[in-house]
Amino acid sequence: MTDLSLNIPDTGKPRVVVVGGGFGGLYTVKKLKRQGFQVVLFDKRNYHTFQPLLYQVSTAGLQPDSIVGPLRTIYHGYPDGHFRMVRILSVDPARNTVHTIAGDLRYDYLVISNGMKSNFFGNDNFRQFTLPVKSIPDALNLRSHIMQLFERAVMTSDPELLERIMTIVIVGAGPTGVETAGALSELRKYVLPKDYPNLDFSRMKIYVIEGLDRVLPPMSPASSARAHKDLERMGVEVRLNTFVSNYDGDILTFKNGETLRTATVVWSAGVMGDVIDGIPREWVERGRILTDRNCRAIGSSNIFAIGDVAMMKTDKYPKGHPGVAQPAIQMGKYVGKQLKDIHAGKAVPGFEYFDKGTLATIGRGKAVADLLGDKLHLGGRIAWYIWLFVHITYLISFRNRILVLANWWWNFWTYDKGNRLIIRPYILKNDPVGQEVAEADVED
């Protein structure tokens, strides 16, 4: 790998380095077009992921290419724009330099927008044996794992193993946890019984575990209560005020001493900012980079943090803005629009977040919505239609919108999710369930 080089041309323009091709980075780069900067985007993958729909990939509702788009397309017709698929190893704020495996690059301005990573709270077993849903590889791992389990289930006569296979636990009742539970419930009701007629899916159990006193804690109590009721009507068992302490790939242990045998634990219990090495500790609080009202890291004059990795404290958001797509999008647009004036030394207005609302779907015709700054609470089919419209609107390309609409239309009328393919087998460490499937694939 020593022959690698970033090959970024020298320039007389101020250079902006953007780290992360998520919502924040994407909209920053778009807004900086033709503003007199050289704009370099780094990401460890060459595509943007529409993360709000990852759970549908993991539950066989969508194919991964429906919710991703190549990052290089944003540079079509872009003067002096460059993308490199490389991981940032560290940053040196004193020398205005980022370090990568392919070499170093100096910057005039650095925009950090690399988002969040799963927070396992220091438990290595959670890291090894649970399944997060934070990326396309994560979603494909979960999909393959679930499908392998049922392929194994039809070949076992061991009642204890069968019960373990048909028990799925989701830790965390935020939007990802609730939406995953709802999608699995519909899979259990409409799809899996047709694929596996010899299995009794009334024995399939889906649990949602939440440490707080309600599901969807970021949403209003009214929306939380409705979502909770919808989940229970769909046969999902919700356990509130419950904490997990360990999972070894077989037995999930709760802090109250109870245990549950399961082959699948989906981890949506927490996230933390993916802070780059080299950022001073005093700039960071609770895993996020502290910023001023211009999205600039406190302690720096030329480093900006936006989206999930940023913590901008305001009177309305004393703990920072919510870790969802809209703050990242709006911060990206803000930095991209204001950076030219900041470079010129002009005073710019502070960032103001416009809360367009929060949405979560539980299943077909079931969703909740907090709109107009939490003044309007909707549920049921109308909230579901709003959820559909918003998610289609923010997909990265027209092609993605067509693919997702086609899949949703097919699923709606046929009650059939057509993406139940084990393209690449996945086996959790120390988990023998489905091992034969993976070994057979390797032998081929």
Side-chain angles (χ1 to χ4, degrees):
M1 301 294 284
T2 56
D3 62 333
L4 291 178
S5 173
L6 291 174
N7 286 330
I8 303 296
D10 293 333
T11 178
K13 304 174 186 176
R15 176 182 287 150
V16 182
V17 172
V18 181
V19 180
F23 288 109
L26 187 72
Y27 281 89
T28 300
V29 171
K30 286 183 175 182
K31 281 292 182 180
L32 285 173
K33 187 176 184 178
R34 304 188 192 283
Q35 291 202 39
F37 296 98
Q38 183 187 72
V39 182
V40 181
L41 173 62
F42 289 126
D43 196 287
K44 60 187 176 183
R45 300 184 177 96
N46 74 335
Y47 55 83
H48 167 80
T49 304
F50 189 77
Q51 286 192 323
L53 292 179
L54 272 174
Y55 81 95
Q56 291 204 11
V57 175
S58 64
T59 55
L62 293 172
Q63 287 284 23
D65 65 332
S66 301
I67 64 166
V68 300
L71 286 169
R72 287 190 173 276
T73 60
I74 64 177
Y75 279 122
H76 291 177
Y78 201 116
D80 212 2
H82 308 273
F83 170 75
R84 295 294 182 267
M85 191 180 77
V86 67
R87 185 191 300 271
I88 301 297
L89 302 177
S90 64
V91 58
D92 187 341
R95 293 180 173 81
N96 294 333
T97 302
V98 293
H99 305 294
T100 80
I101 195 172
D104 299 343
L105 186 69
R106 286 184 56 83
Y107 59 81
D108 293 287
Y109 298 97
L110 176 65
V111 181
I112 301 174
S113 58
N114 56 328
M116 292 282 197
K117 60 183 179 180
S118 294
N119 185 359
F120 298 100
F121 304 101
N123 188 311
D124 287 338
N125 276 358
F126 289 151
R127 186 186 306 277
Q128 289 185 52
F129 300 122
T130 67
L131 291 141
V133 190
K134 294 297 295 177
S135 66
I136 288 292
D138 287 343
L140 290 176
N141 288 342
L142 178 55
R143 186 181 79 177
S144 293
H145 174 72
I146 290 172
M147 295 307 155
Q148 286 169 209
L149 288 178
F150 290 111
E151 293 298 336
R152 181 69 176 87
V154 296
M155 296 186 288
T156 184
S157 56
D158 182 343
E160 290 187 1
L161 177 59
L162 189 61
E163 182 178 3
R164 176 174 175 253
I165 287 173
M166 299 190 75
T167 299
I168 298 177
V169 181
I170 300 162
V171 180
T176 298
V178 166
E179 291 174 342
T180 302
L184 287 171
S185 176
E186 292 192 331
L187 201 65
R188 173 180 62 183
K189 181 177 180 179
Y190 298 114
V191 179
L192 295 176
K194 293 185 292 184
D195 283 357
Y196 306 97
N198 295 328
L199 292 177
D200 178 8
F201 281 93
S202 66
R203 300 177 60 184
M204 180 177 170
K205 299 175 182 178
I206 303 170
Y207 294 88
V208 172
I209 311 299
E210 172 57 47
L212 299 178
D213 61 356
R214 60 190 178 98
V215 304
L216 297 176
M219 299 191 71
S220 67
S223 293
S224 294
R226 177 152 192 162
H228 190 155
K229 187 177 295 185
D230 283 340
L231 285 172
E232 290 187 330
R233 286 173 176 170
M234 296 170 72
V236 176
E237 183 172 333
V238 180
R239 294 188 181 182
L240 303 176
N241 300 305
T242 303
F243 294 89
V244 295
S245 61
N246 197 29
Y247 179 60
D248 62 4
D250 179 16
I251 298 174
L252 180 66
T253 305
F254 300 94
K255 286 193 174 180
N256 63 7
E258 292 183 33
T259 60
L260 185 65
R261 291 199 71 191
T262 175
T264 307
V265 175
V266 181
W267 188 262
S268 61
V271 293
M272 59 188 297
D274 192 7
V275 178
I276 302 171
D277 287 346
I279 296 296
R281 289 185 179 181
E282 59 269 23
W283 295 8
V284 179
E285 183 176 310
R286 286 182 290 182
R288 301 170 76 180
I289 300 173
L290 292 163
T291 75
D292 62 17
R293 294 298 295 274
N294 297 132
C295 297
R296 188 161 31 201
I298 292 176
S300 174
S301 62
N302 63 343
I303 296 178
F304 299 81
I306 60 177
D308 297 348
V309 76
M311 179 180 286
M312 180 190 296
K313 295 182 179 181
T314 66
D315 292 341
K316 188 175 181 181
Y317 299 99
K319 297 182 180 179
H321 295 86
V324 293
Q326 272 303 315
I329 291 171
Q330 293 180 34
M331 286 180 178
K333 290 180 177 180
Y334 170 85
V335 172
K337 181 179 179 181
Q338 301 296 344
L339 193 56
K340 186 174 182 179
D341 285 343
I342 291 173
H343 179 68
K346 298 179 181 179
V348 299
F351 172 76
E352 292 290 344
Y353 173 53
F354 175 60
D355 186 0
K356 296 183 178 181
T358 307
L359 301 164
T361 183
I362 299 94
R364 180 189 304 259
K366 300 179 180 67
V368 288
D370 293 338
L371 306 175
L372 302 177
D374 204 29
K375 296 177 182 177
L376 178 63
H377 311 295
L378 301 173
R381 193 166 291 274
I382 186 171
W384 187 60
Y385 289 140
I386 295 171
W387 182 91
L388 293 174
F389 174 78
V390 168
H391 283 70
I392 286 291
T393 300
Y394 282 99
L395 283 164
I396 188 172
S397 71
F398 180 75
R399 173 184 177 275
N400 291 124
R401 297 184 190 110
I402 293 299
L403 287 173
V404 171
L405 275 173
N407 273 273
W408 283 351
W409 183 90
W410 177 261
N411 295 344
F412 184 83
W413 290 107
T414 65
Y415 288 87
D416 182 26
K417 297 184 178 185
N419 303 302
R420 303 179 302 281
L421 307 176
I422 305 171
I423 301 297
R424 54 169 202 178
Y426 175 76
I427 302 297
L428 283 170
K429 296 176 182 177
N430 295 340
D431 187 356
V433 177
Q435 187 69 48
E436 298 91 335
V437 179
E439 290 174 352
D441 188 77
V442 170
E443 289 171 2
D444 290 343

